[in-house]
Amino acid sequence: VAAPVDVEKCSNDVHMLVVPYPARGHNLVCIQLARKFLPYGVRVTLANIFDNLSPDLLHVCQTENITVANLGVCPADPGPGNLPFMGDVESVQGETEQLVANFASGTDSLPVTCIVGDILLGWTQNVADKFGIPRYVICTSRAGFLAAFLHMPTLAGQGIVPVQPPEASELVDIPGLPPTRRGDLSPAVQASSLFCKYFFAQYVHRCCQPALEAAGYFINSFYELEPSCIDLLRSFPYEHENSKGSSPVRSFFPVGPLVHDEYLQLLRLEVAEGSSFVEPGAPYLRWLDRQPTDSVLYVNFGSIVSLSKRQIHELALGLEASKQRFLLVVRPSTVKDSDEDLPLLPESFKAHTLETGFVQSQWVNQLDVLSHPAVGGFLTHCGWNSTLESICRGVPLLAWPFQADQMLNCRFLVDEAKTAVEVRKGENGFVSREEVARAARELMAEPEGDAVKENVRKLREKVKKAVCEADGSVQKSVENFLAELKTSRR
Ligand code: UDX
């Protein structure tokens, strides 16, 4: 972040309490957000719920002078996939209030002046209300996801959610989005999903509804990526949906991409030197070194998604049939129902793998992979972090979504940004080898893929400008937020 030169813009009377949902992705996004304000003299306290900050992120906080406040004790059952239940997380509300009260009463401490609460932590609104300070929502995903999220209470009121299975293909109008398939909305509102059974009421009433009471929103996106959606969010009269009937000022601050620093450093280096580089190292990188430029399709489904053995087997056969080079990442946790009596990878596949493909069964350094000149495409589950990272490195996408915001992200990438080719699912969600091969060839080897590549290249230029220029849209968002805080406190 460029240091501000203008003393006028200094905000050393601002104390921001940032409260992430306790999962790595959320912690990272929240810390990257907080860091944008440090050069302005803003004091930041970060809530470390259930002591879940990883050592590397704790280190960032220490070196950057972000105060870490430990809240709550991790419950015995940490929740599905180690994602804490929202009800458990809610239990730290009292401790959070105590923390704010302590800052307010201490003689040598700066009272908290605003709360930046995770989009999934609706109760942070109650804390802010109790102390009469504004809560700003941090949306770890894109503007389009926020648009759908804020409209959820209305859809619930109209009986449109929960979505019954036969209604999945029906379209629904959501301000800020093109007509949207009901089945593409979050699994939390799909009546057929287990998630809906347990989380529907929490999702709509404890997360979406309180978000409507917030003073404003930080979005993990940049204006140039979703201009029409952000414009609409800014002009849409959400006060009609606010249970209190009041009409607070609602501001939207796109401050992304809130990705690892290295992605942004590389963008800056490109601006400065017109180059990028990759350190040599792991075997998968050495294998990439031997492949021609833009020839390899990188396949990775992020940190949470898992596929059946049968689907991974089929995917492998599809990659083989596509005749494209590939780097396939399948970690043990990527495989579900491992008792299926089928080898994970086909025999033929193993035999020729070393020539045209590489299978990696552990975590890779995605930055290194996406930055490697041999990588020409990324088959992704459309997780928002992976998507932003790919845009920062100018790599076009093959979109294969599974859950959460991924279906909406896929529609955005394919239909609006036109930076992805879609992998089409058949009946019951299974993807055939023929479809994998078709989509891989279309992106990597056919003229249709050229337009997609060109669009990603243009988007990368836009993100460079948004992030790296002193008057870029991201810096403006940060300063607009500080100016708004000053005005609202007068
Ligand atoms: C979750 C949800 O699934 C997603 O829909 C939402 O948008 C964000 O939270 P996740 O499944 O972890 O995310 O995917 P993603 O958002 O893409 O994040 C994965 C992160 O792990 C990326 O930063 C990626 O660089 C990193 N990663 C993943 C690696 O560095 N190496 C790997 O091998 C796999």
Side-chain angles (χ1 to χ4, degrees), residues 141-156:
S141 189
R142 68 189 182 94
F145 171 79
L146 179 61
F149 193 89
L150 292 177
H151 205 56
M152 222 44 91
T154 302
L155 295 181

Side-chain angles (χ1 to χ4, degrees), residues 95-129:
E95 269 185 72
T96 310
E97 288 175 1
Q98 192 56 52
L99 179 73
V100 178
N102 290 348
F103 279 120
S105 60
T107 44
D108 56 352
S109 61
L110 186 60
V112 174
T113 50
C114 68
I115 295 185
V116 177
D118 196 293
I119 189 161
L120 293 181
L121 303 182
W123 55 266
T124 55
Q125 184 65 43
N126 302 341
V127 180
D129 289 346

Side-chain angles (χ1 to χ4, degrees), residues 23-26 28-29 83 140-142 145 259-260 263 284 298-305 329-331 360 362-370 378 380-389 402-407 409:
R24 183 177 167 87
H26 291 247
L28 177 72
V29 167
L83 293 177
T140 47
S141 189
R142 68 189 182 94
F145 171 79
V259 288
H260 282 284
Y263 285 92
Y284 59 88
Y298 162 53
V299 184
N300 196 334
F301 296 99
S303 67
I304 299 168
V305 162
V329 181
V330 184
R331 302 191 317 278
Q360 165 78 2
Q362 287 166 357
W363 194 255
V364 296
N365 181 331
Q366 187 153 297
L367 170 71
D368 285 350
V369 173
L370 290 175
F378 180 10
T380 171
H381 65 308
C382 305
W384 191 239
N385 298 304
S386 289
T387 302
L388 286 175
E389 291 164 6
F402 291 81
Q403 59 193 37
D405 55 346
Q406 297 158 15
M407 285 80 73
N409 292 347

Side-chain angles (χ1 to χ4, degrees), residues 295-301 311-330 345-346 348-349 352-353 356-359 377-379 398 400 423 431-441 444:
S295 70
V296 175
L297 178 65
Y298 162 53
V299 184
N300 196 334
F301 296 99
Q311 181 65 85
I312 293 175
H313 192 94
E314 190 78 4
L315 160 67
L317 287 171
L319 290 173
E320 186 178 31
S322 76
K323 307 252 183 298
Q324 304 305 308
R325 291 162 205 267
F326 57 85
L327 166 57
L328 169 62
V329 181
V330 184
L345 299 173
S348 62
F349 182 87
H352 90 220
T353 289
T356 58
F358 192 98
V359 181
F378 180 10
L379 196 174
L398 268 189
W400 181 347
V423 178
V431 177
S432 69
R433 66 191 77 171
E434 292 80 11
E435 173 57 11
V436 172
R438 180 204 65 77
R441 274 198 305 270
M444 303 295 288

Side-chain angles (χ1 to χ4, degrees), residues 51-93:
D51 198 15
N52 111 314
L53 269 185
S54 54
D56 60 323
L57 293 181
L58 266 174
H59 179 74
V60 172
C61 293
Q62 273 157 8
T63 49
E64 302 264 353
N65 237 349
I66 294 174
T67 307
V68 174
N70 295 326
L71 300 175
V73 176
C74 190
D77 175 4
N82 274 339
L83 293 177
F85 293 107
M86 285 176 203
D88 284 338
V89 176
E90 221 163 347
S91 70
V92 305
Q93 179 177 333

